[in-house]
Amino acid sequence: MDSLRSAKAAVSPRASFLSGLKTGSGLAAASFLLAVSFGAISTSQGWGHLAPVICSMAVFSGSAQFALLATLGSGGGIAGAVTSAALINSRFIPMGIAVAGDLRGGRFRRALEGQAVVDGSWAAAHLGGGRFDRYLLFGATAIQWPAWVAGTALGVVVSPDPDLLHRLGLDVLTPALFVALLFDEVRRERINRLPALLGAVLAAGLIAFLPAGPALVGAALAALVALFRAPAGPESTEKAKRAEAAGQADKAEVAGQAEEADKAGQPVHSDEEVAR
């Protein structure tokens, strides 16, 4: 835990923010293309020109906004559409709880900073051990939000064929980026490997019987494995560090004795031999 804090402190806020901008640029490109599709579909469903852009500015969640489109497009009412979007966005509750310890200020400021918690930024800002780089989080989101809004506006104005991204294969960009973030997280902490593998197996099995949304929700249950595979706590980690430091000190002492003995031309005696 101390190593995480020291590593975090070693990087300046400006450098972390710029790193977030760099990390978020790929996510922003995928978000832009996906938002073009959202703008085109919403316009074709009679949303008009202003409502889709306002929705993207306020909601800023592709999964929730496409849930709105799907529910309204299938004849569902506004209440059902809002409920489905809210259920999908409920994932931000545990995500917000996880990052809350790294936010700063009073309630209003923390709530404002919490608006930067979106899927890709949250995953990229994770330092490991339940800690997050808040400035990297801010940078990654700062570049994604305008890209999402601009893509929606372009889709509304140009109104391309809603299936264009699917035909070009560009709809796989966002999932591919999330897979890349997952691989990075798994490589950084070994404890994440079992939940990731179990989640993939669950998703592959459930997708054969359920739509993609419920299948992914079911696969997310694999994250509960982490509750039973918690990493070593601060106390055990501190003990390990102390033991390692003591061992290094002993080695340094023996090496010093050997060097002095070589200079004096005398053999080195251990503590037990001296006692004898």
Side-chain angles (χ1 to χ4, degrees), residues 2-46:
D2 292 337
S3 61
L4 289 175
R5 290 175 180 172
S6 61
K8 181 179 177 181
V11 181
S12 66
R14 182 176 182 273
S16 291
F17 186 82
L18 293 177
S19 177
L21 291 177
K22 181 179 179 180
T23 302
S25 60
L27 296 169
S31 297
F32 179 83
L33 295 174
L34 192 62
V36 172
S37 178
F38 171 76
I41 296 175
S42 58
T43 302
S44 66
Q45 290 187 3

Side-chain angles (χ1 to χ4, degrees), residues 24-245:
S25 60
L27 296 169
S31 297
F32 179 83
L33 295 174
L34 192 62
V36 172
S37 178
F38 171 76
I41 296 175
S42 58
T43 302
S44 66
Q45 290 187 3
W47 281 40
H49 292 79
L50 190 59
V53 178
I54 294 178
C55 181
S56 287
M57 294 175 64
V59 180
F60 185 32
S61 172
S63 56
Q65 290 177 228
F66 278 101
L68 287 172
L69 288 176
T71 305
L72 294 175
S74 61
I78 295 180
V82 172
T83 300
S84 62
L87 288 174
I88 290 178
N89 272 0
S90 64
R91 70 188 185 278
F92 290 120
I93 296 177
M95 292 169 63
I97 293 174
V99 78
D102 292 291
L103 302 181
R104 299 292 183 268
R107 292 182 178 180
F108 178 77
R109 179 179 173 181
R110 292 164 68 87
L112 186 62
E113 291 187 356
Q115 301 307 306
V117 177
V118 295
D119 297 314
S121 302
W122 185 86
H126 187 213
L127 295 172
R131 302 304 305 273
F132 292 83
D133 186 333
R134 59 195 289 266
Y135 289 103
L136 193 150
L137 177 74
F138 299 157
T141 300
I143 194 173
Q144 290 182 74
W145 184 80
W148 180 255
V149 176
T152 302
L154 180 62
V156 168
V157 174
V158 178
S159 296
D161 185 351
D163 294 330
L164 178 61
L165 294 180
H166 178 70
R167 291 203 303 269
L168 295 177
L170 298 178
D171 53 339
V172 303
L173 287 178
T174 298
L177 286 171
F178 279 111
V179 169
L181 289 173
L182 176 63
F183 279 134
D184 182 67
E185 188 72 16
V186 169
R187 185 175 64 251
R188 185 164 42 190
E189 289 193 271
R190 183 177 298 180
I191 194 174
N192 295 326
R193 295 179 182 177
L194 179 60
L197 178 61
L198 183 58
V201 172
L202 287 174
L206 293 175
I207 199 67
F209 309 98
L210 299 174
L216 290 177
V217 172
L221 295 176
L224 296 177
V225 174
L227 295 177
F228 306 99
R229 293 173 56 85
E235 295 181 358
S236 59
T237 303
E238 185 65 25
K239 290 180 180 178
K241 289 182 179 179
R242 290 177 180 175
E244 181 180 358

